[in-house]
Amino acid sequence: MPLDTIYLVRHGNRNNWTIDLENNTYIPELPTPTGNPADPTLNASGIKQSHELAEYISGEGFEPKPSFVYSSPFYRCVQTIQPVVEALNAKGAEGRDLDVRVENGLGEWFGGIPFTPPAPSTASTLRTHFPTCLRADPEKHYTSFVTPPGRGETLTQLHDRVATALSAIIAYADAEITAMEDKLPPDTPRTRKAILISSHAAPMIAMGRALTGQMPQDFSEKDFFVFTAGLSTFVRRGSGPGSAFEGGNVPDWKGGKGVGGGWDCVKNGDTSFLSEGAASGWHFDGESSFDTSTTMVKAIDVDVTATVTTVVIV
């Protein structure tokens, strides 16, 4: 039985930063652990959210439990799911230790800023703060599939970037699950398999569209809800294997197709488990959307491509 459930969670409430456009720099509200000014930690409210998320996912009524965990390479995203990983490991979920796979293709969207944003931390750097993060090692551990462009992305590029990353992640998970089940006795019951992905508001909206294949004509359509620490659940259509990831090409996901065979959203931005409820909702609209329809962004919409790495499981 291949992967059949995907959970998407947005990072919890975080500390802030400002952007000095005159000097092309980010100014953090507080010092950041990684030294990246655009890589803040969760604030007190976000830390509380992360523990409530962990209690919810590790609870008896939450099924299927994640078999694999993926995260954006930004501190706040790993910090949000670290309590989840610790809680699941403490309860022996899946009969093994869970770890965090740092995937650059799930990283933040910086919109149309006219300068190169600070690069995210490497998996090795994050590992010094979160021991569950896997080292980048294609033979024994995990190597990111997608590297976003070094400068701003248009909205179209963002959607195709996360679709490419998801296609690779799903195909990789299918292969892993098949390899695991092939080692089991023939009469062993097959169980549902899920992955948990921690990311940011804009990429999460784009991921919802890539999974369902439903791309609105207006980018600002309020189709997927991305509250801080909110959890969305997607179930695979027919629970069958999806299309393979081929050669780093952007998958054909629009028109209702969806990546990996297509997915249905069965829970959209669930915050029922958070004591303070829904917070900090976000959409591609208004000043916070980093509007990429501007001349500034059109000027950089040339030769901006993502680098894709293909990993084969043997």
Side-chain angles (χ1 to χ4, degrees):
M1 179 181 293
L3 180 70
D4 67 20
T5 303
I6 294 178
Y7 303 114
L8 302 183
V9 64
R10 183 184 173 192
H11 63 76
N13 289 323
R14 59 166 173 77
N15 293 307
N16 295 318
W17 67 72
T18 57
I19 302 177
D20 181 351
L21 291 175
E22 290 187 5
N23 297 301
N24 292 346
T25 58
Y26 283 75
I27 304 173
E29 179 183 32
L30 297 171
T32 62
T34 62
N36 180 341
D39 195 18
T41 64
L42 301 180
N43 58 25
S45 172
I47 292 173
K48 180 180 179 182
Q49 288 177 324
S50 72
H51 287 284
E52 291 176 338
L53 175 70
E55 183 178 358
Y56 179 61
I57 292 179
S58 65
E60 292 184 3
F62 189 94
E63 293 293 340
K65 295 286 192 288
S67 298
F68 310 104
V69 181
Y70 289 81
S71 178
S72 156
F74 286 85
Y75 191 97
R76 57 193 178 275
C77 291
V78 184
Q79 188 180 12
T80 297
I81 56 171
Q82 183 64 23
V84 176
V85 173
E86 292 174 351
L88 291 173
N89 284 343
K91 295 184 178 183
E94 291 296 315
R96 65 183 184 84
D97 288 338
L98 288 173
D99 43 49
V100 178
R101 298 169 178 190
V102 177
E103 173 55 59
N104 292 335
L106 305 172
E108 181 65 287
W109 179 61
F110 288 95
I113 59 170
F115 61 92
T116 302
S121 297
T122 64
S124 297
T125 296
L126 288 168
R127 186 177 170 82
T128 64
H129 301 281
F130 305 102
T132 56
C133 286
L134 287 176
R135 295 187 301 274
D137 183 335
E139 294 185 358
K140 297 181 180 179
H141 298 294
Y142 180 80
T143 298
S144 179
F145 287 107
V146 176
T147 301
R151 294 191 69 180
E153 296 169 284
T154 64
L155 286 166
T156 297
Q157 288 170 330
L158 166 67
H159 284 71
D160 284 342
R161 183 245 293 179
V162 300
T164 303
L166 285 171
S167 182
I169 289 170
I170 292 167
Y172 192 76
D174 282 345
E176 283 187 294
I177 292 168
T178 299
M180 290 166 53
E181 292 186 339
D182 285 347
K183 297 178 182 179
L184 298 174
D187 57 347
T188 302
R190 280 10 182 199
T191 58
R192 296 174 59 196
K193 300 296 182 182
I195 59 175
L196 172 65
I197 293 174
S198 179
S199 188
H200 313 260
M204 278 186 58
I205 293 173
M207 279 189 265
R209 294 168 177 174
L211 289 169
T212 61
Q214 300 298 329
M215 184 65 193
Q217 292 184 346
D218 184 350
F219 283 112
S220 65
E221 182 175 316
K222 295 176 174 58
D223 45 2
F224 295 100
F225 304 123
V226 287
F227 304 106
T228 50
L231 188 68
S232 292
T233 304
F234 296 81
V235 175
R236 202 172 203 162
R237 295 171 192 157
S239 295
S243 57
F245 179 66
E246 299 177 356
N249 296 321
V250 175
D252 180 15
W253 61 272
K254 298 178 183 178
K257 296 178 181 178
V259 297
W263 304 72
D264 295 320
C265 182
V266 297
K267 281 193 177 182
N268 189 355
D270 180 23
T271 58
S272 61
F273 53 91
L274 298 175
S275 60
E276 297 178 2
S280 302
W282 193 96
H283 293 284
F284 294 107
D285 187 32
E287 293 182 359
S288 65
S289 71
F290 298 96
D291 183 3
T292 56
S293 65
T294 62
T295 302
M296 173 179 68
V297 174
K298 289 181 180 179
I300 65 170
D301 191 18
V302 179
D303 294 330
V304 179
T305 56
T307 302
V308 182
T309 300
T310 302
V311 178
V312 178
I313 299 176
V314 294

